[in-house]
Amino acid sequence: MNIAFLADSLDSFKIHKDSTYAMMVEAARRGHAVYAFEQHGMAIESGKAVASVRRVTLTGDAHSWYQAEAAEVRELDGFDAIVLRKDPPFDLEYLYTTHLLETAERQGARVFNRPAAVRSHNEKLAITEFPQFTAPTLVTRDEACLREFHAQHCDVIFKPLDGMGGAGIFRVNQDGLNLGSIIETLTQYGTRTIMAQRYIPEISKGDKRILLIGGQVVPYSLARIPQAGEVRGNLAAGGTGVAQPVSARDREIAEALAPELMVRGLMLVGLDVIGDYLTEINVTSPTCFQEITQQSGFDVAAMFIDALENAA
């Protein structure tokens, strides 16, 4: 297979933990040809979706981990699979990228995850479709409603709908300290919609990342445990990742969502679960492959390439 990865710059990869790198290594190990391109190299020319693509050879050297051939403009429908691995934020350029990839799909390309599905599943808002698995949640930009939600639940997490890596997340407990300032900052004085969720104290045991691949549940999650004084377990915010078998409740949530999300074109999904509650559904570039594999021995990248081979 010829597999093209749409990702950030290869030079930005931290290969000791990067999930896209793990995918590339497994694909190359199986004899598949690996290619890479970036958003800025995409175009529609004379109606055809094309990109400036480089074939990549993995060297196994941690300091200079790849060699790339000269870039060439290729029609995207000429690849057997395109793997969408561009990191958030999901901004206007990301939105336009999904439209360009849809053009490639109409011309015969196979894109994973499907661009329309990525576009229609905001990683924060998507949980509202499954209220049976969520803690009390409010989505609004109305200050009075947000204040009322806090008054009702006393201990609340406020977060933007377009953040990543734990950025912009605030906890306001019963004393309400800085409540008004936080609401004003996140909503930009009522002009931006945000999310409020009842605080889940089990965050002290970790924000669990549960991976769904090809409609199946990876049997181990990565519990991202906040450092002292933090409410964010995100690894980017200093959390510590601990791989563990998925619990009965984790599996209940994951098995309920996995087949439905797969039908929608989401082959790879990262669920975030705190305690017994679903808090996010990550569809842009879910991570934690290497951490789970290194600690549990379960080869997540192999499961992903298996699913890609079966679907492409």
Side-chain angles (χ1 to χ4, degrees), residues 90-282:
F90 196 93
D91 54 14
L92 278 176
E93 280 303 314
Y94 211 126
L95 175 68
Y96 301 149
T97 293
T98 65
H99 287 295
L100 267 65
L101 289 173
E102 274 192 294
T103 297
E105 279 190 317
R106 289 192 293 270
Q107 293 164 354
R110 303 295 305 278
V111 185
F112 307 93
N113 289 325
R114 292 196 65 186
V118 171
R119 188 171 63 241
S120 64
H121 287 79
N122 175 278
E123 296 185 328
K124 307 294 191 297
L125 283 173
I127 68 167
T128 61
E129 188 178 348
F130 306 98
Q132 69 272 34
F133 298 127
T134 66
T137 299
L138 172 68
V139 178
T140 185
R141 62 182 183 179
D142 183 88
E143 181 177 355
C145 291
L146 291 164
R147 286 183 174 275
E148 181 180 350
F149 186 84
H150 177 265
Q152 178 183 359
H153 297 288
C154 299
D155 202 349
V156 173
I157 294 291
F158 295 94
K159 57 186 174 181
L161 296 179
D162 59 354
M164 63 170 290
I169 294 178
F170 293 90
R171 177 188 178 187
V172 182
N173 56 29
Q174 191 166 7
D175 62 16
L177 187 64
N178 292 324
L179 174 61
S181 178
I182 289 169
I183 292 174
E184 290 168 2
T185 299
L186 289 180
T187 68
Q188 295 184 12
Y189 294 92
T191 63
R192 298 194 68 179
T193 302
I194 67 170
M195 175 174 284
Q197 291 177 311
R198 188 186 70 194
Y199 176 70
I200 306 169
E202 288 84 358
I203 183 61
S204 62
K205 298 179 181 178
D207 180 356
K208 295 171 285 187
R209 168 59 55 84
I210 302 167
L211 293 170
L212 313 179
I213 298 177
Q216 302 297 316
V217 183
V218 173
Y220 293 87
S221 68
L222 190 76
R224 296 160 298 173
I225 301 171
Q227 60 181 326
E230 265 287 359
V231 297
R232 303 171 299 171
N234 309 72
L235 300 182
T240 300
V242 178
Q244 58 189 34
V246 296
S247 69
R249 175 61 171 175
D250 295 341
R251 185 167 292 278
E252 177 189 3
I253 295 170
E255 290 184 347
L257 272 61
E260 175 62 27
L261 296 176
M262 180 62 183
V263 167
R264 299 179 189 182
L266 296 168
M267 191 179 79
L268 173 60
V269 177
L271 305 180
D272 287 350
V273 174
I274 300 174
D276 290 337
Y277 300 104
L278 176 68
T279 61
E280 290 188 17
I281 299 176
N282 296 273

Side-chain angles (χ1 to χ4, degrees), residues 3 21-34 58 299 301-303 305-306 309:
I3 305 173
Y21 172 75
M23 296 174 186
M24 290 178 168
V25 169
E26 180 62 19
R29 188 189 69 78
R30 299 187 187 196
H32 300 309
V34 173
L58 307 185
D299 196 333
M303 182 176 176
I305 298 300
D306 284 344
E309 290 172 340

Side-chain angles (χ1 to χ4, degrees), residues 11-58:
D11 292 332
S12 71
F13 281 28
K14 296 178 174 63
I15 63 169
H16 66 284
K17 65 177 183 177
D18 193 286
S19 294
T20 307
Y21 172 75
M23 296 174 186
M24 290 178 168
V25 169
E26 180 62 19
R29 188 189 69 78
R30 299 187 187 196
H32 300 309
V34 173
Y35 296 80
F37 64 105
E38 297 179 46
Q39 282 179 309
H40 64 77
M42 299 179 66
I44 297 176
E45 296 180 357
S46 302
K48 291 290 292 186
V50 301
S52 178
V53 180
R54 297 186 296 170
R55 183 165 181 175
V56 177
T57 300
L58 307 185

